[in-house]
Amino acid sequence: MIDLSFCNPNDVAYYLRSVPGSVSDDVVRNLLFGLAADAHRTGAVDAWGLRDIGWAAYESDPTAPPDHWGLDLDLAIETHIDGFATIVDVDTAVAEAVETITPYINALPPVLTRG
């Protein structure tokens, strides 16, 4: 723990490998989705950032809940950019994605929430 506390960001993965135990993918996803929802709620991440997080989560495990929110946002935003959708379509897709991931904020330790 001391090494982790004082290491630079580039060395975190190296030191984490020495921590005994196994990684729970569910816990990691719950934290990721909670952090994404919390960041969007406070304005730290916009719709495009939320799309990127969701898309990365989908690419790494397409069966992980919540289902396809990154893909849904990607289609809504890209369609809007190409001029075939209205901003309402994008706002609706973002609202649905946020509604899907907002319960994951409860998985966050209070120290990780933005307020």
Side-chain angles (χ1 to χ4, degrees), residues 28-80:
V28 172
R29 281 191 296 269
N30 291 353
L31 288 172
L32 172 66
F33 298 156
L35 288 168
D38 189 53
H40 186 269
R41 179 185 61 159
T42 59
V45 173
D46 62 8
W48 283 261
L50 195 61
R51 173 199 63 178
D52 293 344
I53 294 167
W55 185 244
Y58 171 76
E59 283 183 325
S60 67
D61 186 0
T63 62
D67 297 333
H68 311 301
W69 61 279
L71 182 60
D72 291 344
L73 282 175
D74 196 36
L75 292 173
I77 290 171
E78 292 304 319
T79 303
H80 174 69

Side-chain angles (χ1 to χ4, degrees), residues 3-115:
D3 290 337
L4 275 169
S5 299
F6 292 105
C7 73
N8 65 51
N10 296 331
D11 294 333
V12 170
Y14 171 78
Y15 286 112
L16 283 175
R17 280 193 280 272
S18 66
V19 175
S22 60
V23 175
S24 167
D25 290 339
D26 288 341
V27 170
V28 172
R29 281 191 296 269
N30 291 353
L31 288 172
L32 172 66
F33 298 156
L35 288 168
D38 189 53
H40 186 269
R41 179 185 61 159
T42 59
V45 173
D46 62 8
W48 283 261
L50 195 61
R51 173 199 63 178
D52 293 344
I53 294 167
W55 185 244
Y58 171 76
E59 283 183 325
S60 67
D61 186 0
T63 62
D67 297 333
H68 311 301
W69 61 279
L71 182 60
D72 291 344
L73 282 175
D74 196 36
L75 292 173
I77 290 171
E78 292 304 319
T79 303
H80 174 69
I81 290 171
D82 291 339
F84 296 109
T86 66
I87 195 67
V88 174
D89 296 329
V90 176
D91 288 346
T92 300
V94 171
E96 289 171 355
V98 170
E99 183 180 337
T100 301
I101 62 174
T102 294
Y104 291 88
I105 292 175
N106 298 330
L108 294 177
V111 71
L112 293 180
T113 60
R114 295 175 176 264

